[in-house]
Amino acid sequence: METQLQQLIEHWPEEALSYRRVGAGEMLFRQGQPANAIYAIRSGSIRMERDLEDGSTVVLHTARAGETFAEAAFNASHYHCNAVAVSDSDVLVLASKVLNGETADLALHKLLNTILANQVRELRTLVSLRDIRGAEDRLLAWIQLQPQTRAGEIVISQTWTVIAQAIGLTRESVYRALSNLVRKRVIERSTAQSDDRTERLRLL
Amino acid sequence: METQLQQLIEHWPEEALSYRRVGAGEMLFRQGQPANAIYAIRSGSIRMERDLEDGSTVVLHTARAGETFAEAAFNASHYHCNAVAVSDSDVLVLASKVLNGETADLALHKLLNTILANQVRELRTLVSLRDIRGAEDRLLAWIQLQPQTRAGEIVISQTWTVIAQAIGLTRESVYRALSNLVRKRVIERSTAQSDDRTERLRLL
DNA sequence: CGAGGGGTTGAAGATGGTCAAAGGAGGTGG
DNA sequence: CCACCTCCTTTGACCATCTTCAACCCCTCG
């Protein structure tokens, strides 16, 4: 899907593309402002949060490098949440005006559809994963859903800390679950980190 | 969004629409079959599950009445999971062929985009909600995100059992959390069930 | 070289899950 | 109209599990 995002950017009319840097803590947009763009994060991370009547706020999502957000710009006239940079971030701004009107590009809409449909699929599996109570079972299910190489190995390209967040566990729980799975001979971890940095897993 | 789904169905060419009934346990489609339709559930519920190499299976999602699924039909040539009816179900079949080709309807694609974008938004907030560890905090956050009437009340149209599943808790935990929130005077529950069946909440 | 971050493991405590039990509402069949 | 059944609701008690806190290693980077 990284590839799909690339495609989207390439197909987007140049005149509707721009960059923007936001420092940590800075706001990219605010709740109530007119929504006129979709964003893609090149680096950093952005948190979306909704202000509530009582002054408190609820986090709706935290988008990381490689993700898009504010797709709501399609239908809503204004943003329904604040976008705050968690760390210094570099975002690509895709003006949504090119989507409206009779002359809008059909191919662009199709591309957008497939990207969104994929995202829906990923998110649903993420939610389902989190329905698995046990840490071991949850982690194992996640592992089993990762793509395998022809050699039957699974390449772990993120840090376990990040994976832990994704599947809704603390990193400690994940490490413990990993240890247990190895001890029970369910998986094997590539202790061989000779030259490359990436870890490899094998299901037994 | 129920409304949006209605719109989608109305805009869908009649010749590409059909119904299908599946009994509990029956399969709507199988992993590997050519993907040529999107589905909308009218009644019942359908579980999507992926078969793994080792013979086990992972649940990817359980779709309920009012939801659409298999949006992957946009880009994938074949289904990547099985769809099994959990209970007797009645589904609407939207043939995806009308989306391809040069003559495809732009308005239809736009509508699809907004529907998918909304779903992405909802799913992301669902995932974020599940990141909240405490049962009380989680439930409260969910409540605060529900729309309020002008009177400042929140109408609960689902059963708590269903809500519990949605936010990843057992119903017992939800009832306990509700009791606690009431006891702490954070919310008020409408004990007044005089004539209508729906419960009402009020934030204090 | 010191700081920071990822990785790893241990011990203790908190919290939600599970099991159990019971009341109420609605539906159905005799 | 009543018996019966199912599902939602509600609360208590106990237990398994995950989180928290803490400490340590190793590596990288400024």
Side-chain angles (χ1 to χ4, degrees):
Chain A
M1 47 240 58
E2 313 292 281
T3 323
Q4 287 186 335
L5 181 54
Q6 284 303 340
Q7 277 184 49
L8 182 66
I9 294 169
E10 281 164 26
H11 280 63
W12 209 272
E14 278 201 42
E15 67 275 17
L17 265 179
S18 57
Y19 284 90
R20 185 150 166 214
R21 302 200 122 265
V22 270
E26 236 181 285
M27 274 199 179
L28 184 58
F29 57 75
R30 279 168 201 282
Q31 198 165 328
Q33 282 183 350
N36 47 33
I38 303 163
Y39 300 88
I41 305 186
R42 302 201 81 84
S43 70
S45 57
I46 309 246
R47 187 179 56 222
M48 329 271 281
E49 48 189 37
R50 166 128 8 126
D51 287 335
L52 302 175
E53 333 269 314
D54 63 1
S56 62
T57 132
V58 177
V59 175
L60 299 179
H61 181 55
T62 301
R64 277 175 241 285
E67 285 186 51
T68 59
F69 64 94
E71 297 89 344
F74 295 140
N75 49 141
S77 55
H78 56 74
Y79 293 116
H80 56 294
C81 62
N82 300 317
V84 185
V86 177
S87 55
D88 291 357
S89 303
D90 199 357
V91 300
L92 198 48
V93 184
L94 311 182
S96 61
K97 60 171 181 247
V98 300
L99 294 176
N100 306 322
E102 299 302 317
T103 64
D105 184 359
L106 178 60
L108 194 58
H109 274 89
K110 282 188 185 175
L111 184 54
L112 221 36
N113 267 335
T114 75
I115 291 178
L116 289 171
N118 280 336
Q119 244 174 80
V120 166
R121 201 153 40 83
E122 283 168 34
L123 286 166
R124 291 213 276 232
T125 68
L126 213 50
V127 170
S128 282
L129 266 185
R130 284 165 181 241
D131 281 335
I132 302 174
R133 308 276 181 207
E136 276 176 50
D137 293 343
R138 180 129 111 224
L139 180 60
L140 181 57
W142 179 87
I143 291 172
Q144 291 173 325
L145 288 178
Q146 302 312 303
Q148 291 186 22
T149 63
R150 332 91 221 141
E153 287 182 323
I154 292 154
V155 178
I156 306 298
S157 45
Q158 297 165 291
T159 67
W160 288 111
T161 304
V162 171
I163 293 168
Q165 283 187 344
I167 63 177
L169 293 170
T170 58
R171 62 171 185 290
E172 290 98 324
S173 292
V174 167
Y175 288 126
R176 271 187 263 272
L178 275 172
S179 306
N180 292 338
L181 289 175
V182 170
R183 192 168 311 123
K184 294 180 182 172
R185 312 208 167 268
V186 180
I187 62 170
E188 236 176 31
R189 296 181 69 179
S190 69
T191 39
Q193 74 285 55
S194 43
D195 49 338
D196 57 2
R197 219 74 308 273
T198 58
E199 177 167 349
R200 257 173 268 268
L201 256 48
R202 179 187 298 278
L203 293 165
L204 301 177
Chain B
M1 49 237 57
E2 313 292 280
T3 322
Q4 286 186 336
L5 181 54
Q6 284 303 341
Q7 277 184 50
L8 183 65
I9 294 169
E10 281 164 26
H11 281 64
W12 208 273
E14 280 200 41
E15 68 275 17
L17 265 179
S18 57
Y19 284 89
R20 184 150 166 213
R21 301 200 124 267
V22 270
E26 236 182 288
M27 276 199 176
L28 184 57
F29 56 76
R30 280 167 200 280
Q31 197 163 327
Q33 282 183 351
N36 46 32
I38 303 163
Y39 300 86
I41 306 187
R42 302 201 80 85
S43 70
S45 57
I46 309 244
R47 187 178 58 221
M48 329 271 281
E49 48 189 36
R50 167 129 5 128
D51 287 335
L52 302 175
E53 333 270 314
D54 63 0
S56 63
T57 132
V58 177
V59 174
L60 300 179
H61 181 56
T62 301
R64 276 176 243 285
E67 285 185 52
T68 59
F69 65 94
E71 298 88 345
F74 294 141
N75 49 142
S77 55
H78 56 76
Y79 293 117
H80 56 294
C81 62
N82 300 317
V84 185
V86 177
S87 54
D88 290 356
S89 304
D90 201 356
V91 300
L92 198 48
V93 184
L94 313 181
S96 62
K97 58 170 184 248
V98 299
L99 294 174
N100 305 322
E102 299 302 316
T103 64
D105 185 0
L106 178 60
L108 194 59
H109 275 90
K110 281 188 185 176
L111 185 54
L112 221 37
N113 268 334
T114 75
I115 290 177
L116 289 171
N118 280 337
Q119 244 174 80
V120 167
R121 201 153 40 83
E122 282 169 34
L123 285 166
R124 291 214 276 233
T125 69
L126 214 48
V127 170
S128 282
L129 266 186
R130 283 165 182 242
D131 280 335
I132 302 174
R133 309 275 183 205
E136 276 177 49
D137 293 343
R138 179 129 111 226
L139 179 61
L140 181 57
W142 179 87
I143 291 171
Q144 290 173 326
L145 289 177
Q146 302 311 305
Q148 291 186 23
T149 63
R150 333 94 221 137
E153 287 182 325
I154 293 154
V155 178
I156 306 297
S157 45
Q158 297 163 291
T159 68
W160 288 112
T161 303
V162 171
I163 293 168
Q165 283 187 342
I167 63 178
L169 292 171
T170 58
R171 62 172 184 287
E172 290 98 326
S173 292
V174 167
Y175 288 125
R176 270 187 267 272
L178 275 172
S179 305
N180 292 337
L181 290 174
V182 169
R183 192 169 309 123
K184 294 180 183 173
R185 311 206 167 270
V186 180
I187 62 170
E188 238 176 31
R189 297 181 69 178
S190 67
T191 38
Q193 74 285 52
S194 43
D195 50 338
D196 56 3
R197 218 76 307 275
T198 59
E199 176 166 351
R200 257 173 268 268
L201 256 48
R202 180 186 297 278
L203 292 166
L204 301 178

